Amino acid sequence: MNLEKEKNKDFIKMAWAKLEQRVRVIKQGGGKTSLKKLKEKGKLSARDRINQLVDNSNEVFEVGVLAAENMYEDFGGCPSAGVVVVISKISGKRCVIVANDATVKAGAWFPMTAKKNLRAQEIAMENKIPIIYLVDSAGIFLPLQDQIFADKENFGRIFRNNAKMSSMGIIQVAAVMGSCVAGGAYLPVMSDEAIIVEKTGSIFLAGSYLVKAAIGEDIDNEFLGGADTHSGISGITDYKVKDDQAALDKIKSLIEKIGDSSCAGFKRSEAKAPNTLDPDMIYKVLPKVRSKPYDSYLLLDQLVDEGSIDEYKKEYGQTLITAYAKIDGWSVGIVANQRKVVKSKSGEMQFGGVIYGDAASKATRFIANCNQRNIPLIFLQDVTGFMVGSKAEHGGIIKDGAKMVNAVSNTVVPKFTIIIGNSFGAGNYAMCGKAFDPRLMLAWPSAKMAVMGASQAAEVLLQIEKSSAEKSDVKFDEKKEIALRKKINTNYEDKSDILYAASQLWVDAVIDPSETRSWISMGIDMANQSPSIEKFNMGVLQV
């Protein structure tokens, strides 16, 4: 037994166990009492609706379960941003499913609710797969209306996307299984087909109280906007069903009849398991201390199909590993940070996790090759940034990095990013961070994301504070310096933790390392529904 590897395994499994415990609480939504009340109304919970809609409840990939975590505490919190988003199969077709959680503030929309809904629509649009809305929402959460109503990426963008997806031929089906009020009433109408549940489903721009206040009309909500009204009088809904289960069955039937479309043609052969005798090895590679080096090839061995690696320019630009391989049978191009110290053929010692000029140039060419060959790209991030110093600057590190960023930006094959460890500074960008449109952005529980490491940031911020104090003739003694450094470091650590990133939806999911292959495989299968209509063109490059 290797004691160091066992410590590594224990560390990452403990981190995952803590996240799982948090997620179990989040999945209770508004709590057991709220779930009980929902059941008494004859309604299923958001998660029960999803589990009964999909083909296999064990093959559900949830996006943004940690969204809004530790946010909106003045209002009692908003677990999972009050909406459940998953990718799964319905009647054999890969779909995005969006289900309002009526146990969280009656399904009201918080700012993060809008952001999460927009991310769900983005996934459907990029991959041209159907999106299903299970609607049960009281509309915008009024105390925070100023943060969700008027901006470009706010509530209104949902309806703009409804219209855009319709023009793109992306199937949208909405089932109104509870309230659907105010601006939210446009969502089912702008979907291709709308289902409404008797007694519990309702759609109106203004409820009975507001109608009374506005125009003096006395009317009950059921006659104003219930199932009978919209199925037989207004014609807004297309199908009236008796209960939640009937609505879910109707969705299954509609999806089953959708015809097949052309695929992107990504290569898939028979899958092979990784070449490993120890199924726990994937947990043992990453050091508990994140600054310690390790050999990233050991990590690749746990992720790719046995015997499938063809490494590109192995002896050049060694701080980045570029390789063609297969994951669950899918052909992929992998760009991974090498975390051990390497020695270049010219004799230079290069730090692991740092992108040097030669590595950036190699990656640029490799990314271009993958685009030319229609091979999806996988970025495995454990990066501290680009090399700095006079030698790097004189050698043109900025232009080498810019070329890599250009290639990533203009890539037309799907990209998938997994943050294994560090994701710092411009390294995040070059390795296909969130701003560069990965189809899925995933992270391990060991991940950290920030503009730089906590200790470096603390030193920079401390120097700024000391300089400011000197200008004001304020004494800055050693005791004060230690206290300030500790405060800065603690705050920075909290904000760079992957839980914080997940709460902001900077990553789609924090996953168990052992699930990495299945997430990538699902992602490529999803992306295969969307042939690229663009040609790869990097444009003008600095030489």
Side-chain angles (χ1 to χ4, degrees), residues 471-487:
K471 289 178 181 177
S472 304
D473 292 326
V474 176
K475 189 176 180 182
F476 207 92
D477 58 28
E478 185 178 350
K479 186 177 179 180
K480 186 176 181 181
E481 181 176 330
I482 292 171
L484 185 57
R485 179 184 282 108
K486 183 178 179 181
K487 180 182 177 182

Side-chain angles (χ1 to χ4, degrees), residues 383-385 423-430 450-452:
V383 60
T384 53
S423 180
F424 294 159
N428 169 283
Y429 299 162
V451 72
M452 64 180 72

Side-chain angles (χ1 to χ4, degrees), residues 255-497:
I255 296 298
E256 192 274 332
K257 294 177 178 66
I258 297 172
D260 293 327
S261 56
S262 57
C263 69
F266 302 132
K267 175 72 174 178
R268 192 178 196 185
S269 55
E270 183 180 350
K272 293 181 180 180
N275 180 21
T276 179
L277 298 175
D278 182 357
D280 278 344
M281 184 56 72
I282 196 166
Y283 301 102
K284 297 178 180 179
V285 177
L286 250 68
K288 178 180 177 180
V289 179
R290 295 301 308 116
S291 58
K292 289 186 68 173
Y294 65 90
D295 190 346
S296 298
Y297 286 107
L298 298 176
L299 205 58
L300 290 185
D301 287 341
Q302 314 310 310
L303 296 175
V304 304
D305 293 9
E306 181 178 4
S308 67
I309 289 182
D310 293 304
E311 188 170 356
Y312 178 76
K313 292 186 183 291
K314 181 175 182 177
E315 297 182 356
Y316 180 77
Q318 296 175 67
T319 61
L320 281 177
I321 299 170
T322 51
Y324 305 106
K326 288 181 178 288
I327 294 178
D328 198 32
W330 292 104
S331 295
V332 296
I334 296 173
V335 181
N337 298 108
Q338 171 58 285
R339 277 301 310 272
K340 73 174 185 179
V341 177
V342 298
K343 186 176 182 180
S344 71
K345 291 299 179 182
S346 61
E348 180 185 13
M349 300 302 294
Q350 297 181 333
F351 296 109
V354 178
I355 302 175
Y356 287 74
D358 54 356
S361 295
K362 176 176 77 170
T364 301
R365 174 60 186 274
F366 179 74
I367 291 166
N369 287 357
C370 288
N371 277 274
Q372 190 173 46
R373 300 175 185 187
N374 199 30
I375 298 175
L377 280 157
I378 313 296
F379 292 85
L380 301 176
Q381 286 195 13
D382 193 350
V383 60
T384 53
F386 282 87
M387 190 57 191
V388 296
S390 60
K391 183 177 180 180
E393 298 290 0
H394 297 171
I397 186 65
I398 296 175
K399 68 179 181 182
D400 291 332
K403 285 185 284 189
M404 184 176 174
V405 168
N406 194 316
V408 172
S409 302
N410 288 300
T411 285
V412 297
V413 295
K415 300 165 287 191
F416 301 89
T417 302
I418 300 94
I419 306 174
I420 305 296
N422 300 323
S423 180
F424 294 159
N428 169 283
Y429 299 162
M431 292 293 290
C432 195
K434 181 75 170 178
F436 294 83
D437 299 323
R439 296 292 176 95
L440 290 171
M441 182 88 177
L442 309 171
W444 286 9
S446 50
K448 298 278 186 184
M449 187 187 298
V451 72
M452 64 180 72
S455 59
Q456 295 95 323
E459 287 302 320
V460 171
L461 292 170
L462 187 64
Q463 291 303 317
I464 293 171
E465 289 285 346
K466 289 173 72 174
S467 177
S468 178
E470 288 173 4
K471 289 178 181 177
S472 304
D473 292 326
V474 176
K475 189 176 180 182
F476 207 92
D477 58 28
E478 185 178 350
K479 186 177 179 180
K480 186 176 181 181
E481 181 176 330
I482 292 171
L484 185 57
R485 179 184 282 108
K486 183 178 179 181
K487 180 182 177 182
I488 293 171
N489 200 66
T490 300
N491 182 61
Y492 205 87
E493 283 284 0
D494 290 342
K495 294 293 177 67
S496 61
D497 189 87

Side-chain angles (χ1 to χ4, degrees), residues 95-233:
C95 300
V96 178
I97 306 168
V98 181
N100 298 113
D101 188 345
T103 70
V104 179
K105 300 291 188 294
W109 287 59
F110 284 68
M112 285 301 297
T113 315
K115 187 173 183 180
K116 190 169 173 180
N117 273 267
L118 288 169
R119 177 59 181 143
Q121 290 183 321
E122 182 180 39
I123 291 171
M125 293 169 80
E126 285 181 334
N127 299 289
K128 296 183 174 63
I129 60 175
I131 183 167
I132 313 300
Y133 307 101
L134 306 181
V135 184
D136 196 344
S137 171
I140 287 176
F141 186 64
L142 291 178
L144 297 175
Q145 64 83 26
D146 61 308
Q147 299 176 36
I148 187 176
F149 175 65
D151 208 351
K152 181 178 179 180
E153 299 295 329
N154 282 178
F155 193 56
R157 191 74 171 182
I158 302 292
F159 314 120
R160 176 264 188 194
N161 286 350
N162 286 142
K164 285 290 185 181
M165 281 191 280
S166 182
S167 72
M168 294 167 66
I170 296 169
I171 305 300
Q172 300 176 84
V173 177
V176 181
M177 308 172 88
S179 298
C180 183
V181 302
Y186 287 105
L187 189 146
V189 182
M190 297 188 73
S191 297
D192 299 319
E193 292 179 288
I195 302 160
I196 190 167
V197 178
E198 293 182 45
K199 308 302 182 187
T200 59
S202 59
I203 309 171
F204 37 69
L205 291 179
S208 56
Y209 292 137
L210 187 54
V211 168
K212 174 69 174 176
I215 63 173
E217 181 182 5
D218 282 308
I219 190 170
D220 66 79
N221 281 337
E222 185 63 27
F223 186 67
L224 179 66
D228 289 338
T229 294
H230 287 310
S231 295
I233 299 176

Side-chain angles (χ1 to χ4, degrees), residues 22-39:
R22 188 181 289 268
V23 167
R24 278 193 288 271
V25 175
I26 289 170
K27 288 185 175 181
Q28 293 293 316
K32 292 181 180 179
T33 301
S34 296
L35 288 168
K36 184 180 178 182
K37 288 180 180 178
L38 203 68
K39 189 175 181 180

